[in-house]
Amino acid sequence: MIPDIYGNDVRCPDPEAAALMRAAILGARRDMDSLGGMIESVTTGLPVGLGEPVFGSLESDISSGVFSIPSVKGVEFGSGFAGSESTGSQNNDTFVLRDGAVQTRTNNAGGILGGISIGMPLTLRVAFKPASSIPREQPTVDIKSGKDAVLSVKGRHDPCVVPRAPPVVDSVVALVLADHALLGGFIGPVL
């Protein structure tokens, strides 16, 4: 079953977490501030073999595309940064035969090994910084006078860009995957 990420204002599939997120975002707005956050993008049904082992690796091309989205400050695949705190035996994705297909028991690699898709779900998380355009006064410098100054951005601003991000991230990932499918080199049908 595909979670309904469009069923609430913050595009979160967990209703309880969505309510907490909405409250935090509204609180930041009241405080004339902003919040960052993280989203997860999952793509299923990928063929084995998209990508390259060195130049043009699937991770590097997806990361390049995702980093072109304003406010993105981090990308991780699979176990990501948490995987750096485990051992190889804990983090390795061992292969198993499941329903007649070779798959991995876990998906710590996020569906990509050696820069190439392995047929498991492509899983990545993208970190967004808080918007810097906030109505709260912040110290700055007046370059004409060379003196301290105060900046307050007027107008309507989102207190959090994260609720707008899921379709943008998913679209960028889809475009990169389509590019790799057109490049060929994959094993199996293009879905």
Side-chain angles (χ1 to χ4, degrees), residues 117-139:
S117 63
I118 59 171
M120 294 296 289
L122 171 63
T123 305
L124 64 139
R125 280 168 300 289
V126 181
F128 288 82
K129 72 175 188 72
S132 55
S133 303
I134 60 173
R136 179 184 283 193
E137 289 187 351
Q138 300 178 84

Side-chain angles (χ1 to χ4, degrees), residues 2-74:
I2 298 173
D4 179 18
I5 66 166
Y6 296 99
N8 55 61
D9 295 340
V10 294
R11 292 191 168 130
C12 177
D14 179 340
E16 290 176 25
L20 293 172
M21 291 166 63
R22 186 174 191 283
I25 292 168
L26 291 175
R29 175 172 292 205
R30 275 190 308 277
D31 294 341
M32 297 189 304
D33 214 339
S34 62
L35 297 173
M38 191 175 304
I39 67 154
E40 183 173 66
S41 175
V42 179
T43 306
T44 58
L46 288 178
V48 172
L50 294 179
E52 297 289 333
V54 182
F55 301 107
S57 78
L58 205 50
E59 286 120 331
S60 63
D61 287 352
I62 290 170
S63 295
S64 178
V66 168
F67 273 117
S68 67
I69 301 168
S71 297
V72 170
K73 291 297 179 184

Side-chain angles (χ1 to χ4, degrees), residues 31-181:
D31 294 341
M32 297 189 304
D33 214 339
S34 62
L35 297 173
M38 191 175 304
I39 67 154
E40 183 173 66
S41 175
V42 179
T43 306
T44 58
L46 288 178
V48 172
L50 294 179
E52 297 289 333
V54 182
F55 301 107
S57 78
L58 205 50
E59 286 120 331
S60 63
D61 287 352
I62 290 170
S63 295
S64 178
V66 168
F67 273 117
S68 67
I69 301 168
S71 297
V72 170
K73 291 297 179 184
V75 177
E76 66 178 2
F77 293 84
S79 64
F81 291 105
S84 70
E85 298 174 1
S86 64
T87 63
S89 61
Q90 294 168 325
N91 197 62
N92 285 346
D93 291 321
T94 57
F95 290 94
V96 296
L97 198 57
R98 191 177 292 137
D99 299 324
V102 176
Q103 297 181 349
T104 57
R105 188 177 312 279
T106 55
N107 194 20
N108 291 322
I112 303 172
L113 284 172
I116 300 171
S117 63
I118 59 171
M120 294 296 289
L122 171 63
T123 305
L124 64 139
R125 280 168 300 289
V126 181
F128 288 82
K129 72 175 188 72
S132 55
S133 303
I134 60 173
R136 179 184 283 193
E137 289 187 351
Q138 300 178 84
T140 188
V141 174
D142 181 335
I143 59 171
K144 289 182 182 178
S145 69
K147 296 184 180 190
D148 291 340
V150 175
L151 171 69
S152 176
V153 180
K154 305 296 182 217
R156 183 195 172 278
H157 301 282
D158 289 330
C160 184
V161 300
V162 175
R164 297 179 184 275
V168 177
V169 170
D170 288 343
S171 295
V172 168
V173 170
L175 288 169
V176 172
L177 293 173
D179 279 351
H180 276 273

